[in-house]
Amino acid sequence: MEVVDHETPSLENGKTDKEVEENANVLQFMDSMDAYLTLIHSLSSTLRRGWLELASARHSMGASRVNTVLLDHTSHPAATSLLVTQDEGKVDSGKPHFTLCKWASSSNENSLLGEKQSSQDKLHPQLRHRGSTELYEEKTSSENKASREVDDPVQKERSKSLSMFGTLVSPKLRAAQLSFEAALETLVEIANMRSEMVCTFDQVNMKLAGRKDEK
Amino acid sequence: MYGFEAMTFNIHGGYLEAIVRGHRAGLLTAADYNNLCQCETLDDIKMHLSATEYGPYLQNEPSPLHTTTIVEKCTLKLVDEYKHMLCQATEPLSTFLEYITYGHMIDNVVLIVTGTLHERDVQELLEKCHPLGMFDSIATLAVAQNMRELYRLVLVDTPLAPYFSECITSEDLDDMNIEIMRNTLYKAYLEDFYKFCQKLGGATAEIMSDLLAFEADRRAVNITINSIGTELTRDDRRKLYSNFGLLYPYGHEELAVCEDIDQVRAVMEKYPPYQSIFSKLSYGESQMLDKAFYEEEVKRLCLAFEQQFHYGVFFAYMRLREQEIRNLMWISECVAQNQKSRVHDSVVFIF
């Protein structure tokens, strides 16, 4: 008859549960570090691409159109914001979590829609100024509705942020914008990955410290 | 054959034509570009340029160099040569030379107005203006709130005044209005320059008509591509195209309704001179379109030097120098960003 001892920890391949848990923590730490380094490398290549595309846009549009003096110094709402929260899984962990809120909140969107309406109102008076008859205006407005492709609010936001360089910008400048947008997303992923890496490193350290105390 | 220009041109224009042909000989060659493309740092570029006509302009610049410094100093050389030619020129060559700079004047006006709209310091904006486009009252542009004031306070006394008739409104200046103003001004300028060259007649009219028509067509294509996906309506887009050129008027009608790059290609491929340009591009691609247009422009500009006794050589020289400065800018950026593998993406060899 076998006697099962419930007091001694169970063994798996010669390792205790504690050791298995420690190994899992170490593996998690190594995985997060690997992911962190991969993201760093990805960020570097994305930024390199973005800077070259910006130089290409400057070459295409001219130095007077792509210039630091055109950056907007008026106060305006941020198109993108960063939300920092505590990790929901563990109350005591204190691990921050970063979330990128891209391209205007809903409140900004409403005000921006209002701005768009007023800018369109400004545009139409110019058309009326240049046009001659009401019939022409009606025909023009129906043709204009058919031609407008800017339905996507994200695309509108992108165009708005590029408008400091002019409304008709080269596709190269738009490509540069997308690259820097991707870089921003990668930066937030890096921040989250670093947060996780630091957290798992602390866990590994705690386990090691606990083992030393036991000895 | 044209009029008897060979008999009379050299009386007033012979010296300056000789000068500009001498300047042309100083343009960088393919061997110069190959050396520059192999540079590791901007100081290497400065060292290679010291052996060219740019040497005196760069020699006193301290390290570390910046790409904008190289471009500024090279531009200064062009400005000096232009001013020398302008002060030696008599009518109608002096007016012709002034016409060449009106495009830069328009760019400077838009830069100042846009920068002011973005609450930038006027002094900062003036430093970034192109020197060929400067005029006395340019700083006063910063006080204008709308186009009517812009015209009344500043531009009425400048050569750009006649181009403002289609732009003047009391609407406040904003990004869309400024863009439309820029392109409307440039359209009016090109048409005026074209008419002036036609009035000059002879070889000048023929050569400049070809060059300006190409410029108008290229502008039409760029406006079309850049306005895809924006709020610019088809009618407004059509109004920005110049009223001359190979694409006028039927090509413009088709370009006005294009919604993507492939539709633009389909329109342009109906015109044999542009078929060769678009045949270099793959479908859906527009990245290399600029280089293809620049290459075609350089070819036409170089051909202008094959004939004598016309003013087109002055226009061609200025444009070739600007292309050279663009090449140097691109090479400098690729070297500075350690992206030498991409240097041949945008360099256009002149010789």
Side-chain angles (χ1 to χ4, degrees), chain A residues 48 52 60 68-71 73 116 126-127 130 140 144 147 149-150 163 166-167 169 172 174, chain B residues 111 118 120 175 177 179 182 226 229 231 233-236 239 259 287 290 329 337-339 342:
Chain A
R48 267 171 66 85
L52 191 69
S60 169
T68 50
V69 296
L70 293 172
L71 296 177
H73 278 193
K116 286 270 186 276
Q126 281 187 313
L127 287 174
R130 291 194 286 272
T140 305
N144 292 344
S147 72
E149 287 188 354
V150 190
S163 64
T167 315
V169 297
K172 292 175 184 177
R174 296 184 202 280
Chain B
L111 177 72
H118 296 160
R120 302 303 297 255
D175 292 325
N177 291 348
E179 191 69 45
R182 180 211 308 271
N226 293 349
E231 291 186 341
T233 62
R234 288 176 184 177
D235 277 338
D236 277 345
K239 282 174 181 138
E259 303 290 349
Q287 300 290 328
D290 283 331
M329 190 274 286
Q337 293 184 27
N338 200 17
Q339 298 251 32
R342 302 289 299 275

Side-chain angles (χ1 to χ4, degrees), chain B residues 125-181:
Chain B
L125 295 169
L126 289 173
E127 283 168 14
K128 294 292 182 182
C129 287
H130 197 289
L132 282 179
M134 296 299 277
F135 51 93
D136 290 337
S137 52
I138 191 170
T140 323
L141 287 168
V143 303
Q145 298 296 317
N146 55 51
M147 288 183 219
R148 201 175 290 277
E149 279 182 19
L150 204 65
Y151 175 78
R152 189 175 56 83
L153 293 175
V154 186
L155 297 173
V156 66
D157 295 321
T158 67
L160 301 181
Y163 308 146
F164 257 78
S165 60
E166 292 191 33
C167 302
I168 298 179
T169 66
S170 299
E171 300 295 334
D172 281 351
L173 293 163
D174 63 17
D175 292 325
M176 178 58 92
N177 291 348
I178 291 172
E179 191 69 45
I180 290 179
M181 178 183 80

Side-chain angles (χ1 to χ4, degrees), chain A residues 26-205:
Chain A
V26 170
L27 279 172
Q28 197 180 353
F29 170 71
M30 299 292 284
D31 283 342
S32 58
M33 193 162 77
D34 180 59
Y36 175 78
L37 291 172
T38 306
L39 284 171
I40 291 278
H41 184 260
S42 166
L43 175 69
S44 172
S45 65
T46 306
L47 283 174
R48 267 171 66 85
R49 189 176 72 229
W51 284 117
L52 191 69
E53 282 164 348
L54 187 63
S56 182
R58 192 180 160 95
H59 177 269
S60 169
M61 293 168 63
S64 67
R65 292 200 61 190
V66 181
N67 211 309
T68 50
V69 296
L70 293 172
L71 296 177
D72 196 349
H73 278 193
T74 58
S75 56
H76 53 277
T80 297
S81 56
L82 185 69
L83 185 65
V84 184
T85 53
Q86 292 297 107
D87 193 1
E88 290 174 5
K90 299 175 186 178
V91 175
D92 298 330
S93 70
K95 186 174 85 172
H97 184 80
F98 304 94
T99 312
L100 194 65
C101 304
K102 278 172 58 174
W103 303 123
S105 62
S106 57
S107 55
N108 283 344
E109 198 173 335
N110 289 336
S111 64
L112 284 163
L113 281 172
E115 283 174 18
K116 286 270 186 276
Q117 190 64 39
S118 64
S119 71
Q120 286 170 11
D121 288 338
K122 282 177 187 175
L123 183 59
H124 283 297
Q126 281 187 313
L127 287 174
R128 282 197 286 276
H129 180 74
R130 291 194 286 272
S132 52
T133 62
E134 286 178 10
L135 185 62
Y136 173 81
E137 285 167 15
E138 283 170 15
K139 189 181 169 189
T140 305
S141 63
S142 64
E143 284 178 1
N144 292 344
K145 277 180 192 171
S147 72
R148 281 195 199 129
E149 287 188 354
V150 190
D151 297 325
D152 186 6
V154 170
Q155 193 54 42
K156 280 182 190 169
E157 286 296 320
R158 287 197 180 113
S159 299
K160 187 173 185 293
S161 71
L162 272 188
S163 64
M164 70 179 86
F165 299 113
T167 315
L168 303 181
V169 297
S170 164
K172 292 175 184 177
L173 193 63
R174 296 184 202 280
Q177 184 185 39
L178 289 175
S179 294
F180 286 120
E181 197 178 314
L184 192 58
E185 288 166 6
T186 309
L187 270 171
V188 173
E189 282 180 51
I190 286 173
N192 284 330
M193 191 54 60
R194 185 182 167 85
S195 170
E196 189 174 323
M197 194 172 72
V198 166
C199 185
T200 51
F201 180 72
D202 287 341
Q203 284 174 358
V204 168
N205 262 346

